[in-house]
Amino acid sequence: MAGFRTKGLVPTRRAALTLIGAGALAAGGVTLARAATGEEEVLTEAKVLRDPAVPVAGNPDGNISIIEWSDYNCPYCRKLEPELRQVIQDDGKVRLVLKDWPILGPVSVTAARIALAAKYQDKYHKAHDAMMGVSSRLTESRINELLASAGVDMDRLKGDLDTRGKDIDAILKRNNEQAEAFGFNGTPSFIVGKYRVPGVLSMAEFEQVIADARKAKMN
């Protein structure tokens, strides 16, 4: 998928950031990402789209992917969540890749680590929805209350945090490196097909970008 790699070019990460800007094509307020591989190859298709450790929602076999970088303490992420999910449900052919990117402080890091630990008991989506569904800023005690109420086994979660902590931290590191390489400055940020979307869109705008991404995929 050429949107994530430029064949034959292996520049440094700084060069990759330059290429994103230099190769960007304006299109309805978003830009087409023409990211080359970084020095650590953080923007390969496999790592951005197909990281097996990163949770996926929507249609896992969809013909277009949306990759979302979000923070559980980001009010814009929470506000957008139900609208984006509605667009994905109505479309039926969108694969949503959920990249936890905790950039708003230590509690955000705790929330992201706990959500990823919950996936080892197949409860990531319950944890994600519970934390995205609140209107107030999260605290560690509130996170524990929300997840317990959502049916997460908290004793197992603590054990998975202990035994899988390094794996979870590695996921967050990859997510962060990719977000930085794409030049994102905050949450939420998205890649829709080949389009780079650094910010919030309305439902109608998401529908248009999805349609544009499908057209770009055919060209």
Side-chain angles (χ1 to χ4, degrees):
M1 187 169 178
F4 294 105
R5 300 194 68 170
T6 301
K7 189 174 181 180
L9 294 179
V10 188
T12 64
R13 187 176 302 166
R14 172 177 285 184
L17 292 172
T18 302
L19 285 168
I20 291 169
L25 298 177
V30 298
T31 54
L32 182 62
R34 295 192 181 280
T37 55
E39 58 188 334
E40 297 175 9
E41 295 190 342
V42 297
L43 294 184
T44 65
E45 179 182 356
K47 289 182 179 179
V48 175
L49 279 177
R50 305 289 173 184
D51 187 334
V54 172
V56 173
N59 182 345
D61 299 316
N63 59 18
I64 205 74
S65 292
I66 295 178
I67 305 100
E68 178 183 13
W69 283 263
S70 65
D71 185 306
Y72 290 109
N73 260 327
C74 167
Y76 302 104
C77 300
R78 293 173 181 164
K79 181 179 180 181
L80 180 69
E81 178 83 2
E83 296 180 357
L84 177 59
R85 293 302 182 100
Q86 188 63 54
V87 169
I88 290 171
Q89 180 178 321
D90 292 346
D91 184 283
K93 295 180 180 180
V94 175
R95 179 175 176 270
L96 177 63
V97 182
L98 298 166
K99 303 268 188 179
D100 289 288
W101 189 27
I103 57 175
L104 298 177
V107 175
S108 292
V109 175
T110 297
R113 295 185 83 250
I114 285 176
L116 289 169
K119 76 185 178 68
Y120 295 107
Q121 53 180 289
D122 296 324
K123 296 289 179 66
Y124 173 87
H125 294 290
K126 287 186 177 296
H128 177 92
D129 293 347
M131 290 189 284
M132 281 295 183
V134 298
S135 57
S136 58
R137 191 166 179 83
L138 293 172
T139 63
E140 291 191 27
S141 60
R142 181 67 173 138
I143 291 169
N144 290 332
E145 291 172 4
L146 289 167
L147 268 62
S149 297
V152 175
D153 183 331
M154 300 305 289
D155 289 333
R156 175 173 176 181
L157 185 141
K158 291 176 183 176
D160 286 331
L161 278 172
D162 288 338
T163 59
R164 309 272 192 161
K166 290 183 179 179
D167 295 332
I168 292 169
D169 291 340
I171 296 168
L172 295 178
K173 182 175 182 289
R174 291 196 297 274
N175 292 351
N176 180 69
E177 288 176 340
Q178 291 165 10
E180 289 183 346
F182 275 119
F184 294 138
N185 294 315
T187 54
S189 291
F190 302 90
I191 296 294
V192 183
K194 296 180 181 180
Y195 287 90
R196 175 180 172 274
V197 186
V200 177
L201 298 181
S202 67
M203 291 178 69
E205 288 169 335
F206 262 117
E207 289 170 353
Q208 185 60 57
V209 174
I210 290 168
D212 290 344
R214 285 200 173 105
K215 290 178 183 178
K217 186 176 180 180
M218 295 174 66
N219 294 331

